[in-house]
Amino acid sequence: MEVPSFSRWISCCFLVLFVFFAMAHSFYLPGVAPQDFQKGDPLKVKVNKLASTRTQLPYSYYSLPYCKPDRIVDSAENLGEVLRGDRIENSVYEFRMREPQMCNIACHIVLNAKTAKEFKEKIDDEYRVNMILDNLPLVMPIKRLDQDSIIYQHGFHVGLKGIYAGSKDEKYFIHNHLTFTVKFHKDAQTNAARIVGFEVKPFSVKHEYDGKWTDNNTRLNTCDPHAKHTVTTSDSPQEVADKKEIIFTYDVEFQESDIKWASRWDTYLLMTDDQIHWFSIVNSLMIVLFLSGMVAMIMLRTLYRDISKYNQLETQEEAQEETGWKLVHGDVFRPPTNSDLLCVCVGTGVQFLGMTLVTMIFAVLGFLSPSNRGGLMTAMLLVWAFMGVLAGYASARLYKMFRGSEWKKITLQTAFMFPGVFFVVFFILNALIWGERSSGAVPFGTMFALVFLWFGVSVPLVFVGSYVGFKKPAIEGPVKTNKIPRQIPEQAWYMNPVFSILIGGILPFGAVFVELFFILTSIWLQQFYYIFGFLLVVFVILVITCAEITIVLCYFQLCSEDYLWWWRSYLTSGSSALYLFVYSAFYFFTKLEITKPVSGILYFGYMLIASFAFFVLTGTIGFYACFWFTRRIYSSVKID
C-alpha cells in the first residue's frame, strides 16, 4: 500500500506545480499576449544591460554616459532577470508605428578624460548594447562570409578600435548612429500591425553642423532628415577621446513582413548552427541507446543464469559451497560507514532530480519560452524550494532503514548542508561582482528573497517530508544481515574502488557532453537555448545510462565478494561530474576569451556549483538503481 499512496502524493505535488505555472504564465510573465498597434501609435524602446562574453560582467546601460531621458524608470523584473544581471530601463528612443524617421538627434555630449576612459574600456572588452521593443531583443544581422545566409547577433558593440586615415596609432571609435529596422505583420482586415522583428545597423559618424549647438534643433550637415535613407556624408568615424564632441543620432525604418506574431521568435531561436546540433544529438542518442541495449541484454542473460543455478542447487540439495554474489548475502545490506551523510546526499539528489524533471516537463510544454526572460531560472529556484518535501522524505526513509532514530538531526542536515555550501560559494562570487560594480551583483532585496525561499519554503517542506517519511515503516531487506562482518578478499586491480568509480562516470558523461556544449554556449556566449524536447530525451538517456553502468559495476563488485556497494554505487555514476568540470575547463580555454582574473573565478565558481549539483543528481540515480537491483536479485534466490 505504500507505493500507491506515495504515487498519489507525488501526483498531487505535480498538480499543484502545474496550476502554479499556469497562473504564472497567464498573469505574471510579461510580453506573452500579442499587442496590436495602429499607425502612429507610440513605440517606446527600453534599454537593457551592457554585456560582454570576454568579462561575463554585465553593467547597466546608463553606467556609460549615453543619452538619458528626463526621468529613468526601472521596469519590473522577475527573480531570474535580476540574477541574470538584466537592468531594463526606459530610453530616449521613441518611434511612431509605421512612420519612418531619419536623422533624429538623441543627444549631444562632450567627453572628458573619465568618460572617454570608460568608453575605451568597454570597447576593449567588446561590450554590446542590448535593447528591447515589444519584448523583442535587439539583434544585428551579419552576413556569413562562407555562404549567403545571415546570422543574428544580440545587440550591437559599443564601438570598435583600429588604425584610421594612415595613423600609426590604434584609435577608438564609438557607434553613435543607429539605423533601426522594425518589422511588422499587418492584419488586412483591421489594419492593425504586430511587431515581429527589431534589428539595427550601427555606424560611427563624426557629425558636423554650422554655428553653435542649439540642443536637438541643430541641423546636421552629415545626414539629411528628409531623405528616404540616411546617407552619411562624413568620411571620418567618431573618435573617442578627451574633449571630443559626440552627437548620438538614429533612424527608424518599418518593413512589412510575412512572419506571423506566433513565429516571430524563430529568428532568435535559430542563432546557432542547427544542422550540427541535430546531427550531434541524434548521433549521441543512437550510440548511447545501442550501448544501453547491449548492457541490458548482457545483464539479463547473466543474471538469469546465476539465479537459475543457485535455485537449482538448492532444489537438488547439493552440498556445494556458495560462490559469487550469493556468498555475501549476509552482509550486502549492512549499513555503510557515514550513513548519515549518504542519507543527506541521496535526499538532496532527489530534490535536484525532481527540480530537473519538473522544470524540463514544463519547458517542453511551452511554459518557459525564452521570450519570458528569466522565467527558466525563476522556475528552477521555485521548484527546487518546493521539492524540499521529497528531499526530506527520501533522506528520512533511508535513515530509518539504517536504524537511525534522530530524525530531526538528519532533517536539519538535509535542509542546510548542501544548500549552505551553494549559498556560501554564491555569496563569495556575488561579493566579487559587487567589487566590480557590475549589475550582475544580486541586490539586497533579491538576496533576501533567496534566503526566504530557503528558510521560509524549502526548510519547512523538508521537515514535512521527513516527518511523513519517518512515520512510514522501515524498509526491510530481503535477507537477514549477519552480526559479524565478513572479510572482503583481496580484489583484482580493475576492481579497485578508485578505478571502477572513474570508469563508471565516462559513459554517463558521454551521453550528455554534446548537449553540454550547447548549454555552455547559451550560458556563456549569450545565445538562446530552446530545444527542450531534445534536452528531455538526453536527460532520459542520462538516467538510463547512470542506472545501467552502476548496476553492471555493482554486479561485478558483488561477484568479487565485495559487499561495500552503498557509497560506491553513489560515486560510480556521480563521478561523471568530475568529467563535466574537466570539460568545462577545456571549454574555458578553447572557446572563451576571458582575460580578467575575476571573470575566470566567476566562471569556475559557477561551474563548480553546477558540477556539484550534477554529482548529487547522477549519484542519486545510480544509488537507487543499485538499491533496486540488489533487492531484486537477493529476493530471487533461495537462502537458508
Side-chain angles (χ1 to χ4, degrees), residues 33-96:
Q35 185 173 359
D36 294 328
F37 295 95
Q38 299 292 336
K39 185 175 181 180
D41 287 348
L43 304 177
K44 296 183 179 181
V45 176
K46 296 181 179 181
V47 292
N48 200 351
K49 62 186 176 183
L50 306 174
S52 170
T53 58
R54 293 176 63 90
T55 66
Q56 303 297 333
L57 294 171
Y59 289 90
S60 65
Y61 177 82
Y62 294 114
S63 62
L64 290 179
Y66 279 119
C67 304
K68 296 181 180 181
D70 297 333
R71 179 171 172 266
I72 298 177
V73 180
D74 294 330
S75 300
E77 297 174 350
N78 58 41
L79 182 61
E81 287 178 308
V82 177
L83 293 177
R84 285 180 20 168
D86 288 346
R87 296 297 181 267
I88 303 174
E89 300 161 312
N90 60 328
S91 72
V92 298
Y93 299 102
E94 295 186 1
F95 313 149
R96 291 285 178 179

Side-chain angles (χ1 to χ4, degrees), residues 481-499:
T481 302
N482 297 332
K483 294 182 179 180
I484 301 176
R486 181 185 181 88
Q487 185 176 0
I488 300 175
E490 185 177 355
Q491 301 292 303
W493 65 270
Y494 52 84
M495 291 305 299
N496 181 275
V498 176
F499 180 79

